[in-house]
Amino acid sequence: LKLQFHYRMCPFVPQPLCVSIDGHLHGFRVTLAFLLSMCLSRMTFTAACPPPCLCASDIISCSGRNLSTVPPDLPGYVTRLDLSHNVLSALLLDWPDRCLDRLTALVLSQNAITHLAPDAFAPTPHLRHLDLSSNGLSRLNASAFHGLGELEVLLLFGNRISQTMAGAFQGLSSLERLYLGGNRLSAFPLELYQQDGALPHLRFLDLSMNMVRQVPVQSLLSLATWQQGGIYLQGNPLVCDCALRAMLEYWERREYRPLLDFREDYPCSLGQEEWLNCSGSPQGGFHGTVEASYQAEPGDWLMVPCPGISLPLREGLMVFWVTPGDGSPALGVTDVQSSRLTVLTNGTLEIRGALREDSGTYSCVAVRGRRRSSNETLEVTVSVGNPSGPGKSGEERSSGGEHFNTAFTTLASCVVSIVLVLLYLYLTPCRCLGGKAGGVGGCGGRAMLLCADPREAELADRRVTGGKRVAFLETGDEHPHKCSAKHPVMDAAATEGILKNGSRALEQVLEEHVA
């Protein structure tokens, strides 16, 4: 078998290697494998930077290149891709030719994008920052952002968005900041905080410069504090009524940044409460002295007046009570009397059949205007089932009592133990056995043994020490004149027998030495 290869068939292989090859089938296979490996080795190269872009390690910038399509052959190692200031009109599903699973930031601002295909961001599952600002988007499809579970920041300001389809932001479980300013939204997107499309970590929502006229005041007051403090509504044609004025005054008293930074861009500014008739009757009187804390027992009915408002209330004046706990529902004036917690028409909070979980701090939200004092409190503390006052809960008191009882018991046990040890050491009656031999000093030898009767000692030892005996031996002859020669000292064998054999051996040895 004769085959001939010309070097033009393998342009990446040096010319000396691409020569005519004559040989058997085995030699052909070896040579062919070698040539293929050389070609593939030359074709395997690191993905280069796309020609119209600038690259710096894992950052690629294709900004301002008049691109109408996304450049092909984007390297898979890119973590930040900037395609801003181009003429892109749509983002289809296959806009990248590979999965960019390391991409965390994508900038598509200042384009002409009017359409986002469903699952358009499926090739970029680990995006954390997505900028689609200043485009021509008019509506958001239900699955436009599907698969972006790690997205934290989404910029959509400067578009023409007038509505968002149900579930457009569903699945963005990590989203913290959403910019929707400068669009054409006419309704507050309450679904971002409620129902199935709620974003659990959304702490910043920019709705400035839209067309919103009404906001759900009671629903917004029911949000957690960290959510309320991040809602920006400046630049909207809001209808200024007593409910909105009360909420804005409450936010201002809480020192939320949207009110402090853009106070002049809200229609309900301070000083307008007179013509709004939201401050109560000028001729009326105040509630009187409103206590800062209330004490009740479980099952009691409690009436809590709203501090700082005058009576009688003018028609249209709205009073809301923010209940304890972040995210607890806010209560408004209602004619429904089925709930245990009800706001009466005069702004008083009525608690029927108080429970221990009703304890906490309640905030009264109402328009107070210039009558409001700088040191006036808007909060009232309610304690249910806490007789010692609002300063300490029942759980804390019971915990302190348990700690006291434990310490007292431990101290008493220590004292009793010390007394018993002292009684055992110093008040145990012991008699010397030397008197039987008629010794002068009553010491029959150099050993002094505890307890007079060995049989009684044996019974006591079995109850206390398991039958073991202890002997104290004198090492020297301190008083030789008191010890007679008829009572020799017990030797080491006798002592070892006492310690090993217990009280019976002790009795036997004593009889032998005394005899």
Side-chain angles (χ1 to χ4, degrees), residues 51-54 61-68 82-87:
C53 306
L54 297 177
S61 175
C62 306
S63 177
R65 301 295 178 175
N66 200 29
L67 299 175
S68 59
D82 186 359
L83 294 169
S84 62
H85 295 86
N86 285 290
V87 291

Side-chain angles (χ1 to χ4, degrees), residues 11 57 69 75 103 174 213 242 279 285 291 342 354 414 441 464 466 501 509:
S57 297
T69 59
L103 188 66
S174 301
R213 297 179 59 85
C242 294
S279 299
E291 300 180 9
T342 306
C414 292
V464 179
N501 299 324
V509 172

